[in-house]
Amino acid sequence: MEHADVGRRILEARMTKGLNQTQLAQALGIDRTALVRIEKGERRVTALELLDIAGELGRRVEWFLTPRASAIVRHRGTDPEDLAAVRPIDVELETLSGDVALLEELGRLQLDDRPTVLARPGTSAEAEELGLRIRALAGVEDGPVSDLVGVGQRLGLSAFSLDLGRVDADAASMVQGGHGIALINGSSAVGVGRRRLALAHELAHFMVDDQYQTDFRVDARAEADRHENRMDRAARAVLLPEEALRSAWEEARGFGLRGAAVRTGSRFRVDMTTLAGRLGELGLVDGAESDAVREVRTRRADIVELNLHVPHDLEGTSLPPAFTKAVIGAYDAEDITIERALGLMRGLFDADDFAPRRELDPDALWGVVS
């Protein structure tokens, strides 16, 4: 990369961290004017300086040296003032993009490509059709989607989750070659139903080839943003197909509105906001009932008495199985160091979880004869 590119990466990371030039320069023990010249690309940053900068800004060294994915470049624009809007989810998604690319280059990770690009929906009816097409392409039979991560994987979208905290976006996704990467906020504050909706929402974006998306509160889009509203509807159609939902709701209505909501939400693994929205758009409840469903909270007593399934999809840190296997394979083949493998596993493994390196027997190697 050119000096200017590295300098811009430093500028971006500093602004994302919320530091001004004086604060970072003092932490590094260099003059502020030197940092200004580095960020402008007027002075080359040394390897030791870059190592210190990476430590202060909480980034890997290679992040500063790797060109950004083009989709993210278009999303962020070129005005340095726009960099202040970059959020942790942007940084993490870009890092994951590099991790996936590394394992692909090593020949350890082979991902399925998206089978086709579907048409962007222009109406609510077309959004419904998009949801049904996604289910059909993934080979999902009518009914609840138990393995949403697996559905995404079959269609070429690898889903990761990281705990990004309550204040960050619900999800982000990008297209990378013939496949895509989705990052879901795995914070417990988000809730499993909303996390699943977020992944279904990103899957809809991916299938219509929306190149890069950062989605905040995917269950509460402004009416003016019609495309996002249609992506929401397509996501609900993926999780709550009309025929199956109608049947399940009719069966559960005998338990009263609250009982039906608890049973149906658990069966389809959705949150009450998603369920209420879907029931309303299909005409299965009126406005007052939809509002009442939205306010329902599943209690521990419900879980015990009704023997409900409590999913933990995309909670905390989770990695696609193919990615995890690729990291292990790369380590076993000595393509990467144990430090690199641990970084790729993002805290899910420690050093003892990996097989020890094979040690060569010097006598066998040299054929020593006693």
Side-chain angles (χ1 to χ4, degrees):
M1 291 177 67
E2 299 293 332
H3 300 334
D5 295 324
V6 176
R8 182 175 174 78
R9 297 288 257 177
I10 294 171
L11 167 65
E12 177 180 332
R14 175 179 62 76
M15 294 184 71
T16 303
K17 190 76 172 179
L19 299 177
N20 61 37
Q21 290 174 326
T22 299
Q23 290 171 322
L24 180 56
Q26 288 177 344
L28 297 172
I30 64 175
D31 191 80
R32 176 183 172 279
T33 57
L35 179 59
V36 170
R37 294 185 63 215
I38 288 171
E39 290 187 346
K40 288 183 176 180
E42 296 173 355
R43 170 161 108 59
R44 179 180 177 275
V45 61
T46 69
L48 289 177
E49 287 173 336
L50 188 58
L51 188 62
D52 288 342
I53 289 169
E56 289 294 334
L57 299 179
R59 305 288 179 90
R60 295 177 184 169
V61 170
E62 59 263 32
W63 183 86
F64 296 94
L65 303 174
T66 305
R68 226 186 252 131
S70 60
I72 295 182
V73 171
R74 287 194 295 275
H75 173 78
R76 293 180 181 169
T78 56
D79 184 350
E81 295 302 319
D82 291 341
L83 296 175
V86 176
R87 303 178 68 89
I89 200 165
D90 293 301
V91 176
E92 297 292 355
L93 181 63
E94 188 173 2
T95 300
L96 286 170
S97 171
D99 293 346
V100 168
L102 169 66
L103 294 171
E104 287 183 302
E105 290 169 6
L106 293 173
R108 299 295 165 187
L109 182 61
Q110 290 82 38
L111 298 173
D112 292 332
D113 283 346
R114 179 175 47 200
T116 186
V117 174
L118 300 177
R120 290 166 63 92
T123 65
S124 295
E126 290 175 359
E128 285 284 331
E129 179 61 24
L130 173 60
L132 293 177
R133 287 291 309 280
I134 289 171
R135 289 178 63 97
L137 286 170
V140 179
E141 297 181 359
D142 194 33
V145 180
S146 58
D147 182 13
L148 188 58
V149 172
V151 166
Q153 192 70 65
R154 290 196 293 277
L155 296 177
L157 184 68
S158 297
F160 297 77
S161 71
L162 297 172
D163 187 343
L164 301 171
R166 180 189 297 271
V167 299
D168 212 329
D170 281 0
S173 63
M174 62 178 292
V175 178
Q176 183 164 305
H179 46 267
I181 299 170
L183 174 57
I184 310 302
N185 189 346
S187 170
S188 59
V190 174
V192 62
R194 193 164 125 195
R195 294 196 300 266
R196 280 170 52 84
L197 177 68
L199 177 52
H201 183 101
E202 298 309 316
L203 181 57
H205 275 304
F206 172 65
M207 292 305 296
V208 301
D209 202 36
D210 285 334
Q211 291 292 308
Y212 179 79
Q213 298 292 323
T214 297
D215 289 308
F216 301 84
R217 297 201 64 199
V218 297
D219 57 343
R221 282 293 179 185
E223 182 64 30
D225 198 340
R226 294 181 180 178
H227 182 57
E228 288 301 328
N229 286 335
R230 289 166 189 148
M231 292 297 98
D232 276 350
R233 179 138 189 177
R236 289 191 290 267
V238 169
L239 297 175
L240 295 155
E242 180 174 359
E243 184 175 340
L245 177 59
R246 284 184 181 278
S247 175
W249 187 249
E250 182 178 345
E251 178 183 325
R253 278 309 300 259
F255 296 97
L257 187 67
R258 184 185 182 280
V262 169
R263 287 168 170 80
T264 306
S266 174
R267 180 172 179 178
F268 287 90
R269 303 188 190 187
V270 297
D271 64 313
M272 290 302 160
T273 298
T274 300
L275 178 61
R278 188 63 171 153
L279 292 171
E281 66 195 10
L282 295 178
L284 296 175
V285 295
D286 60 27
E289 290 173 324
S290 179
D291 290 341
V293 169
R294 191 171 282 105
E295 296 301 318
V296 169
R297 296 294 177 266
T298 302
R299 300 185 290 249
R300 285 190 179 182
D302 296 321
I303 295 171
V304 174
E305 292 172 0
L306 303 176
N307 194 29
L308 300 180
H309 173 74
V310 182
H312 298 280
D313 304 40
L314 302 162
E315 184 172 333
T317 298
S318 65
L319 309 175
F323 181 90
T324 302
K325 290 179 182 178
V327 175
I328 295 171
Y331 171 78
D332 288 342
E334 301 189 8
D335 292 333
I336 57 176
T337 64
I338 184 62
E339 292 77 16
R340 187 67 164 124
L342 292 174
L344 291 167
M345 288 296 196
R346 293 178 169 265
L348 293 182
F349 276 43
D350 58 36
D352 292 337
D353 292 322
F354 287 91
R357 297 284 200 199
R358 293 192 302 264
E359 295 186 1
L360 297 177
D361 180 347
D363 291 343
L365 180 64
W366 294 106
V368 175
V369 178
S370 58

